[in-house]
Structures are given as C-alpha cells and as structure tokens.
Amino acid sequence: GDDVLVAYKMNGVPLPNGHGFPARIIVPGIYGMKNVQWLTGIEVLTTDFQGYYQRKGWSDEAIIKTSSHIDWPVRGDTIRGSDFVVRGYAFAGTRGVRLVEISMDGGEIWHPATLAPPISPLAWVFWSYRWTGAPSGRYSLMVRATDGTGRRQLSEEQDAFPDGASGIHEVSMTIG
C-alpha cells in the first residue's frame, strides 16, 4: 500500500542498530514481526516469501488486534478520595479507535471514556474517564475498545503466539 514506510532515522538521527540500522520497513496495521529490520536492499518477488517468523509458525497476515490498557491506577493501588481520573490507551492499527469503555464492577456495566484526538491515524489513542463519587471499597477495573469499523476487541485471552495477544485488561484496586 501507499502507507508503507522505509525508516532510516529515528528522532532525527540515524536508526540505531537495535532498531534496524541502516533502514527498516514499517507497514502500518501489521505486527512488528512483519516489519523488516536491517534492510540493505529490496528484491521484488512473484511468490509469497515466508520470513523467519512465518517459518517459526507465526501468522503470515499478522494484522494488529484491537487492544486497550489501563495505565492509571495500577494493580494494587489504593486511591484516597472519591473523585479521580482513570487513564490509558487503545490501539487498533490502521482501523482507528471509535470507542473505549471502562467497567468498575468486573464487566457488568460499561461506561464510555473520553478519547483524546490521536496525533495520527496510525497512533495510539489516549483515553480518560473521570470517576466521581466513588465509594470506598475494592474494585476490578476493566477496559475494552471498539475499532473504527465497529468491531469490539476480543475478550478471549490468547498469548501473542501465533497471531497477537487478546483479552481484556483488568486492574484490581482499592478506594479508601
């Protein structure tokens, strides 16, 4: 596609070796295992090339799954007061994020969070939720996102292998 990038600098300086010097390919919307690093040349093929990770059983498509994360509070926190802001981020690759919802009761009731404008159509979306009048007690906060096509992130937990992790991020915390 026309959104594929060849990166040779990071933050205005040559790409460090650990990030793929002298250049790397960045293909928005697919996981990094498919983004070629240490690029020294390009060869055009007429067949499907199976790279290192594909030969190891990782996904050939590698499309980024919709995900969301609670950054604050963190697991085990005790919050003083009944008015605070829960914060985090969501990402859905090139599909964008349409909605982020938070639950304070382990997934029974979901409330829409406020989305910050993304810095780019390909960037994470930061979200926040102002929780007011929260009574003292223990809580299980959960977050879920819906992508720009209207598909909600998968709630089933899956490890990263073979095609990306999934599941709902959950944080146990106390207000007291």
Side-chain angles (χ1 to χ4, degrees):
D2 57 1
D3 56 354
V4 174
L5 304 170
V6 175
Y8 58 93
K9 286 188 174 183
M10 184 169 78
N11 299 324
V13 297
L15 205 58
N17 190 50
H19 289 279
F21 178 85
R24 72 178 295 156
I25 301 286
I26 298 175
V27 183
I30 65 171
Y31 287 112
M33 64 183 170
K34 296 280 287 191
N35 289 259
V36 176
Q37 297 185 58
W38 307 288
L39 181 67
T40 58
I42 296 176
E43 182 181 345
V44 178
L45 302 174
T46 58
T47 59
D48 181 26
F49 176 78
Q50 296 290 305
Y52 173 83
Y53 288 102
Q54 292 72 44
R55 291 191 309 268
K56 296 286 186 186
W58 288 84
S59 170
D60 194 33
E61 288 186 328
I63 296 170
I64 290 175
K65 292 180 179 174
T66 302
S67 64
S68 54
H69 189 270
I70 299 168
D71 281 335
W72 194 89
V74 297
R75 183 173 44 121
D77 269 357
T78 297
I79 307 297
R80 304 283 179 217
S82 63
D83 184 5
F84 58 95
V85 178
V86 181
R87 293 185 174 87
Y89 64 88
F91 187 60
T94 56
R95 298 178 310 281
V97 174
R98 176 184 294 179
L99 173 68
V100 171
E101 298 168 290
I102 184 166
S103 173
M104 288 77 79
D105 60 8
E108 293 295 318
I109 300 172
W110 294 90
H111 307 273
T114 301
L115 303 182
I119 59 170
S120 139
L122 304 176
W124 294 353
V125 174
F126 294 100
W127 60 265
S128 61
Y129 179 81
R130 178 166 293 282
W131 192 1
T132 58
S136 296
R138 296 186 54 133
Y139 292 92
S140 177
L141 306 181
M142 300 173 80
V143 65
R144 68 184 183 191
T146 301
D147 73 16
T149 70
R151 294 189 64 197
R152 187 179 294 149
Q153 80 179 71
L154 299 172
S155 59
E156 298 80 26
E157 286 191 32
Q158 177 184 309
D159 289 335
F161 182 82
D163 65 347
S166 65
I168 300 290
H169 188 227
E170 186 171 354
V171 170
S172 299
M173 50 84 65
T174 303
I175 299 175

